[in-house]
Every structure is written in structure tokens, then in C-alpha cells.
Amino acid sequence: MAQAVASAGAEFIEVGDPLIKTVGVTAVERIKRAVPHTTVVAEMMSADWGRDQVVPTAEYGADAVFLIGPATIASVSAAVDAGRRLGVPILLDVPSGHVSAHWIADREQAGVDGFAITTDIDIGVGSNHPLARSQALHSWTRLPVAVSGGFSSTDRMVLRSPEWDVLIVGRSVTEATDPATAARLLTQLIHQPE
């Protein structure tokens, strides 16, 4: 799957938290070995042990680490310190419901390299659309903002939106009959001139 998506032009491949919990951080190593020239992001969704979320994944080849937003500033700072030491950027999930400009500023001061608005896979997009949240987030930070939300090639307005810097796409590719073709179509639509 990783090779198919990388050959289709994906710039990042996320090794999800469920996979890492199932088989361990060796999943990161196997994916990085399969696609050595593609940025591999390890999704480590734990609210504590910030340093220990970064060190093993970096040692197994992660190029960036994605942490859960409700983590304390202490955990975020520990993760950032480890990331700086190992040359691994830290992306922080933005929890819905209680995020403010102050919350963002505190995490920026802790040193995170970007933010992500994720959509709870069990809930779906619902009424709180991730692009609306991303718009607010962009008004509070200049750091990159990644957005997930069950997007596919049929979401043309989303693919053209200026409200995201990184679009996270999962099941519309991984569950496609032909994942390489699905990824290629998305990549072409995203990079297509207006």
C-alpha cells in the first residue's frame, strides 16, 4: 500500500496509531524501508510520555511524529525537545471543543512544528466541518495545518481549499479497489492548476 501511494505522488505516509499499537513501532521501520524517499509520519496518540512517543519512532525511521492534542504542555515540550535532538518535526492534533488562540500560542511557544485537525472516524465530519476549524486555526498561527475528514476525489471544493496545508486522506485510498489509482487521482486533482 505504501509503495502504491508513494508512486502515485503522495508526499507523506502516515503510520497510524492503531497499526503501531497492533504490531509495534517496527511498522514505522517497515514502511520507511518500503518508501525510503517519502516522508513517514508516526501517529502516536498518547497524552503523556512525550519524549517516549518520539524517540522510538525516530529510531525506527519516522521523519515526523504526530501527537494527540490534549497532552500537557510538559509532554508536548518533552516531545519537542526529543524531536529537535533527533531532527524530527512534531505535529500536534488540535482537540475539538476547547481550542483557542491562547491554546495555539502556548503550543507554538512549546515549539511544535505544525497542527492537525483530525476527524473522529467513529463520528464522521458531522456539523463541525474540519475546514471551518482550519480557517479559525489559520487566523491564529502561521504554522502548517493538516486536515482530515474522510475526503476523497469527489470533494473538489475541499481539494481546492486554501484552508489546509496538508490534506490527510485515508480510507478513500486504502479501501479503494485500486489504491494506486485512487491516490494518483487525488494527487492530480490537488496539484492541478486552477
Side-chain angles (χ1 to χ4, degrees), residues 131-179:
L131 288 186
R133 292 177 57 213
S134 178
Q135 185 176 28
L137 192 56
H138 266 118
S139 72
W140 299 329
T141 186
R142 291 184 175 203
L143 292 176
V145 175
V147 178
S148 76
F151 306 123
S152 72
S153 59
T154 61
D155 295 304
R156 302 293 168 102
M157 295 296 288
V158 170
L159 300 179
R160 289 277 176 230
S161 174
E163 301 304 334
W164 56 267
D165 301 297
V166 176
L167 192 66
I168 301 170
V169 178
R171 290 184 176 185
S172 68
V173 171
T174 61
E175 294 182 358
T177 305
D178 182 353

Side-chain angles (χ1 to χ4, degrees), residues 51-154:
R51 177 189 166 280
D52 293 330
Q53 302 299 313
V54 177
V55 172
T57 54
E59 289 173 350
Y60 277 88
D63 299 299
V65 175
F66 182 13
L67 297 176
I68 196 165
T72 65
I73 285 291
S75 288
V76 172
S77 296
V80 167
D81 288 347
R84 294 282 182 271
R85 187 169 47 81
L86 298 168
V88 176
I90 305 300
L91 182 67
L92 188 64
D93 175 52
V94 177
S96 62
H98 65 274
V99 175
S100 64
H102 178 72
W103 187 92
I104 295 296
D106 283 350
R107 274 63 187 172
E108 281 186 339
Q109 191 170 19
V112 300
D113 299 290
F115 295 99
I117 295 172
T118 57
T119 301
D120 184 330
I121 200 163
D122 296 321
I123 296 173
V125 174
S127 61
N128 192 3
H129 198 278
L131 288 186
R133 292 177 57 213
S134 178
Q135 185 176 28
L137 192 56
H138 266 118
S139 72
W140 299 329
T141 186
R142 291 184 175 203
L143 292 176
V145 175
V147 178
S148 76
F151 306 123
S152 72
S153 59
T154 61

Side-chain angles (χ1 to χ4, degrees), residues 3-10 153 159 172-173 176 178-192:
Q3 290 170 335
V5 171
S7 69
S153 59
L159 300 179
S172 68
V173 171
D178 182 353
T181 299
R184 192 171 298 106
L185 176 58
L186 272 164
T187 304
Q188 288 169 352
L189 290 170
I190 289 168
H191 290 57
Q192 194 174 60

